[in-house]
């Protein structure tokens, strides 16, 4: 195997025996084969579009299949066997529907009949195979684009669940995946395709924002309890709002409290979700702490999306997966039927007493922040707010990520910190106070809410009649997986410069490609909080 799609890849170079995430070599091969099969499906989809044939099922399957290959999503080889087979079925149905001729390469791929055969096929089409460019810099951009596309696919999958789709998103994914087999494309072609991924991701996040806010209302500032209520309990982790809504509906009136974990924390700010009185509070922190936190939770756990880790034996029988998530031996819920979870919750002890744990504020999406924009602008003009820091992105297990905790703690009291995604758990419960009634720590939401942060920045730039790069705003980002790659490409597409990225730079970026990013965008690695604050503020 060879995989280097996440920040914690072995030795900063690549996992070759087993994934740091827990992915086995066999699952890695099946994921590589899944990508290869989707590339073949994409070739046919591109030609079908030219013939005026667009298949919604193919579009939705494409993003769901890609989502399954993200870090910490699907570890179940049996599920990949089914997905790969379905991919080829859809490809042939579309080819016949569009009356297309024969294809070769990925578009003619036929899966082996048994699991071992599929694994063997997967070992021949991995990241370093001849199915990608032999030129290391072109291959670097191909892989960067592939990982960006995986992030786009995750967001597109969330959006279509809520009825928000745009064929331009699907068309780009199919075109870019098809391009990976085009040996005539050069470095400049791939620079364009890579930045195009950032553009398409902005549109995709806009669709997801419309789905979330159109269905559940704009988030409002909300205090979320970190303690517990006496009674039966269910814990929900992941990102998907529709899954959470269905669970809340099915548990209503059953004397069960629903708690969030990880990136589900910001869901407490949505009016359409917070109306459920048994939707109580937040339990635990970020994804990498789940083994300890899930083991201590006195009820069942539902994983709606990434990021799942290998369940401990103590809670293997009380954790459930759904959607693109899978783990061998773990019950996978179908059709959002939560009856097995509810049954388990009623059997388990729940919390035996109330527990106080303080609270944190969420709900500072673009609507809430821009609602107080005049006060923010006045505070900046009056010198009360000197600078804004967007400190966000992914959390992870590396000790070097404590940089982000220390950075926020050392941000001067006349500065405001905006945050989003699970990187916030390095400092989400810090008491930073406020400036003239404006909280100094503003939780914009999930990584899925990055569109809100972009809109806030653009609106402030418009209000001050300056470019985004001229705002008193610095971006201090942490990355871990492929949705972060998509967001970074979006920021680069928008021309945003001086981004500080950590805790380490992507292994899939070659020195030559990094040099281009530095020269064009002045992207840079984090150093120390003191040095970076001094460089930014002077």
């Amino acid at each position: 195997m060879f995989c280097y799609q996440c920040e914690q890849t072995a030795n900063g170079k690549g996992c070759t025996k087993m994934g740091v995430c827990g992915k086995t070599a066999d699952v890695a091969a099946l994921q590589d084969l899944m990508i290869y099969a989707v590339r073949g499906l994409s070739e046919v989809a591109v030609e079908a579009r030219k013939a005026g044939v667009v298949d919604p099922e193919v579009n939705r399957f494409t993003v769901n299949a890609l989502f399954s290959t993200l870090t910490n999503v699907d570890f179940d080889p049996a599920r990949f066997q089914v997905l790969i087979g379905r991919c080829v079925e859809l490809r042939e149905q579309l080819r016949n529907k569009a009356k297309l001729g024969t294809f070769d390469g990925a578009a003619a791929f036929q899966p082996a009949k048994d699991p071992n055969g599929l694994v063997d096929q997967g070992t021949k089409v991995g990241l370093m195979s001849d199915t990608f460019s032999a030129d290391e810099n072109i291959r670097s951009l191909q892989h960067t684009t592939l990982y960006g596309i995986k992030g786009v696919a995750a967001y597109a999958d969330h959006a279509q669940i809520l009825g928000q789709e745009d064929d331009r998103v699907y068309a780009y994914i199919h075109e870019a995946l098809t391009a990976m087999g085009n040996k005539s494309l050069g470095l400049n072609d791939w620079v364009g395709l890579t930045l195009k991924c950032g553009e398409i991701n902005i549109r995709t996040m806009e669709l997801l924002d419309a789905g979330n806010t159109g269905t559940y209302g704009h988030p409002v500032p909300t205090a979320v309890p970190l303690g517990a209520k006496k009674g039966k309990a269910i814990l929900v982790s992941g990102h998907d709002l529709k899954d959470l809504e269905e669970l809340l509906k099915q548990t209503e009136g059953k004397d069960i409290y629903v708690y969030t974990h990880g990136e589900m924390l910001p869901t407490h700010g949505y009016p359409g979700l917070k109306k459920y009185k048994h939707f109580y509070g937040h339990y635990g922190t970020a994804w990498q702490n789940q083994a300890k936190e899930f083991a201590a939770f006195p009820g069942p756990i539902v994983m709606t999306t990434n990021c799942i880790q290998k369940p401990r034996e103590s809670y293997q029988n009380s954790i459930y997966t759904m959607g693109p998530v899978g783990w061998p031996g773990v019950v996978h819920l179908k059709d959002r039927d939560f009856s097995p979870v509810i049954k388990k919750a009623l059997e388990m002890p729940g919390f035996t007493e109330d527990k106080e744990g303080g609270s944190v504020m969420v709900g500072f999406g673009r609507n809430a922040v821009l609602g107080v924009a005049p006060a923010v602008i006045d505070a900046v003009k009056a010198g009360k707010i000197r600078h804004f820091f967007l400190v966000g992105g992914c959390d992870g297990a590396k000790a070097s990520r404590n940089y982000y905790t220390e950075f926020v703690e050392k941000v001067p009291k006349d500065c405001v910190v905006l945050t989003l995604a699970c990187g916030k758990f390095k400092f989400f419960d810090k008491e930073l106070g406020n400036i003239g009634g404006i909280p100094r720590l503003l939780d914009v939401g999930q990584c899925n809410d990055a569109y809100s942060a972009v809109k806030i920045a653009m609106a402030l730039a418009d209000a001050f009649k300056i470019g985004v790069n001229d705002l008193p705003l610095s971006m201090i980002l942490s990355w871990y997986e492929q949705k972060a790659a998509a967001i970074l490409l979006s920021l680069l597409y928008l021309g945003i410069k001086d981004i500080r990225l950590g805790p380490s730079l992507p292994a899939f970026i070659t020195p030559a490609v990094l040099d281009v990013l530095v020269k064009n965008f002045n992207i840079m690695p984090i150093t120390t909080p003191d040095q970076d604050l001094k460089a930014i503020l002077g």
Side-chain angles (χ1 to χ4, degrees):
M1 70 175 285
F2 181 80
C3 181
Y4 60 176
Q5 69 178 6
C6 85
E7 190 272 334
Q8 291 184 187
T9 194
N11 301 314
K13 295 180 180 179
C15 296
T16 57
K17 295 181 179 179
M18 185 172 183
V20 171
C21 62
K23 178 168 59 178
T24 65
D26 284 359
V27 170
L30 291 171
Q31 290 187 356
D32 286 339
L33 191 61
M34 182 80 261
I35 294 298
Y36 186 69
V38 173
R39 285 171 60 181
L41 175 62
S42 296
E43 288 184 41
V44 175
V46 167
E47 294 305 314
R49 272 191 180 80
K50 293 177 183 177
V53 178
V54 176
D55 189 325
E57 186 177 4
V58 166
N59 290 341
R60 292 165 191 164
F61 175 87
T62 297
V63 296
N64 187 262
L66 289 169
F67 195 173
S68 72
T69 69
L70 261 72
T71 302
N72 292 99
V73 176
D74 196 348
F75 295 81
D76 190 342
R79 284 167 53 79
F80 279 110
Q81 186 173 358
V82 172
L83 284 170
I84 291 166
R86 182 58 180 156
C87 186
V88 173
E89 287 177 4
L90 287 172
R91 185 193 74 200
E92 292 307 296
Q93 288 175 15
L94 180 60
R95 186 175 66 82
N96 292 328
K97 185 177 181 181
K99 299 179 180 179
L100 302 175
T102 58
F103 290 77
D104 56 16
F109 156 74
Q110 290 296 324
K113 300 299 183 183
D114 62 279
N116 290 336
L118 290 171
V119 169
D120 184 61
Q121 288 179 317
T123 62
K124 296 177 174 63
V125 294
L127 293 167
M128 297 301 168
S129 71
D130 61 6
T131 65
F132 293 95
S133 175
D135 182 293
E136 68 170 2
N137 294 316
I138 293 177
R139 187 172 64 238
S140 172
L141 288 172
Q142 287 178 326
H143 291 173
T144 301
T145 306
L146 173 61
Y147 298 147
I149 286 171
K150 287 188 180 190
V152 172
Y155 294 135
D157 189 64
H158 285 300
Q160 68 86 15
I161 286 171
L162 294 173
Q164 295 291 325
E165 298 178 88
D166 184 339
D167 192 58
R168 288 178 294 169
V169 174
Y170 300 123
Y172 167 78
I173 292 174
H174 289 144
E175 289 164 9
L177 289 176
T178 297
M180 290 180 189
N182 187 344
K183 304 298 184 183
S184 68
L185 297 180
L187 200 63
N188 288 335
D189 297 311
W190 276 103
V191 168
L193 280 166
T194 304
L195 290 178
K196 179 75 172 178
C197 184
E199 177 187 5
I200 291 298
N201 188 54
I202 291 171
R203 174 58 181 150
T204 309
M205 290 191 298
E206 181 182 29
L207 291 170
L208 179 53
D209 178 87
N212 285 340
T213 60
T215 307
Y216 304 110
H218 282 277
V220 296
T222 302
V224 183
L226 299 179
K229 292 285 284 183
K230 180 181 178 181
K232 305 295 185 179
I234 295 174
L235 186 63
V236 184
S237 193
H239 303 76
D240 196 273
L241 273 62
K242 178 68 173 177
D243 293 343
L244 174 60
E245 179 192 29
E246 288 301 317
L247 175 63
L248 289 169
K249 286 180 178 179
Q250 292 176 39
T251 51
E252 200 165 19
K254 297 187 184 302
D255 294 324
I256 299 172
Y257 290 106
V258 174
Y259 297 79
T260 54
H261 177 270
E263 286 244 52
M264 295 300 272
L265 168 62
T267 60
H268 289 274
Y270 285 92
L273 297 174
K274 63 184 295 180
K275 68 182 182 182
Y276 293 93
K277 299 189 184 307
H278 62 299
F279 186 30
Y280 177 66
H282 187 79
Y283 173 91
T285 52
W287 66 271
Q288 77 277 3
N289 301 318
Q290 67 186 251
K292 178 181 178 181
E293 293 171 352
F294 288 1
F297 190 76
I301 303 114
V302 178
M303 293 296 304
T304 66
T305 59
N306 58 316
C307 303
I308 191 173
Q309 292 181 298
K310 181 179 181 179
R312 288 184 179 179
E313 186 177 346
S314 63
Y315 63 86
Q316 172 115 14
N317 292 325
S318 60
I319 187 170
Y320 300 81
T321 60
M322 57 190 305
V325 194
W327 192 280
V330 168
V331 174
H332 190 80
L333 303 173
K334 296 180 180 180
D335 302 321
R336 295 191 178 86
D337 176 7
F338 291 99
S339 55
V341 183
I342 294 169
K343 182 175 183 293
K344 177 66 73 170
L346 294 174
E347 292 170 353
M348 294 182 71
F351 289 100
T352 56
E353 61 182 3
D354 290 347
K355 294 183 179 180
E356 290 297 326
S359 65
V360 293
M361 292 294 297
V362 301
F364 296 100
R366 60 185 173 87
N367 202 55
V369 173
L370 296 180
V372 296
V376 172
I377 293 167
D378 288 344
V380 173
K381 290 180 177 179
K384 294 178 181 178
I385 296 178
R386 180 173 28 151
H387 206 85
F388 296 90
F389 292 95
L390 176 58
V391 186
C394 310
D395 203 0
K398 281 186 176 179
S400 55
R401 289 181 180 269
N402 290 331
Y403 163 96
Y404 298 95
T405 308
E406 186 181 345
F407 186 95
V408 169
E409 289 174 341
K410 290 184 173 181
V411 165
K413 295 187 183 302
D414 58 354
C415 300
V416 172
V417 176
L418 293 94
T419 188
L420 77 163
C422 64
K424 71 167 69 76
F425 287 108
K426 284 285 184 273
F427 49 81
F428 79 121
D429 54 355
K430 301 293 179 185
E431 295 288 346
L432 299 188
N434 64 81
I435 300 174
I438 300 167
R440 288 189 57 234
L441 180 60
L442 299 172
D443 185 349
V444 179
Q446 299 179 336
C447 63
N448 293 14
D449 299 312
Y451 180 74
S452 262
V454 170
K455 294 296 287 184
I456 289 168
M458 295 177 73
L460 288 175
D462 185 60
F464 285 110
K465 294 181 171 53
I466 56 176
V468 174
N469 288 312
D470 298 316
L471 281 171
L473 169 67
S474 298
M475 296 194 179
I476 318 295
L477 305 182
S478 56
W479 81 282
Y480 180 78
E481 43 87 303
Q482 297 77 66
K483 286 188 283 185
I487 292 169
L488 179 61
L489 291 178
S490 293
L491 296 176
L492 298 182
Y493 167 75
L494 292 171
I496 294 175
K497 298 181 178 181
D498 304 325
I499 296 169
R500 284 171 166 79
L501 183 66
S504 60
L505 296 179
F508 49 84
I509 298 291
T510 61
V513 172
L514 179 60
D515 187 56
V516 171
L517 294 177
V518 171
K519 287 179 178 177
N520 287 282
F521 302 101
N522 197 33
I523 194 168
M524 64 193 86
I526 58 172
T527 58
T528 69
D530 289 323
Q531 290 177 16
D532 289 344
L533 281 166
K534 183 176 180 181
I536 294 167
L537 298 175

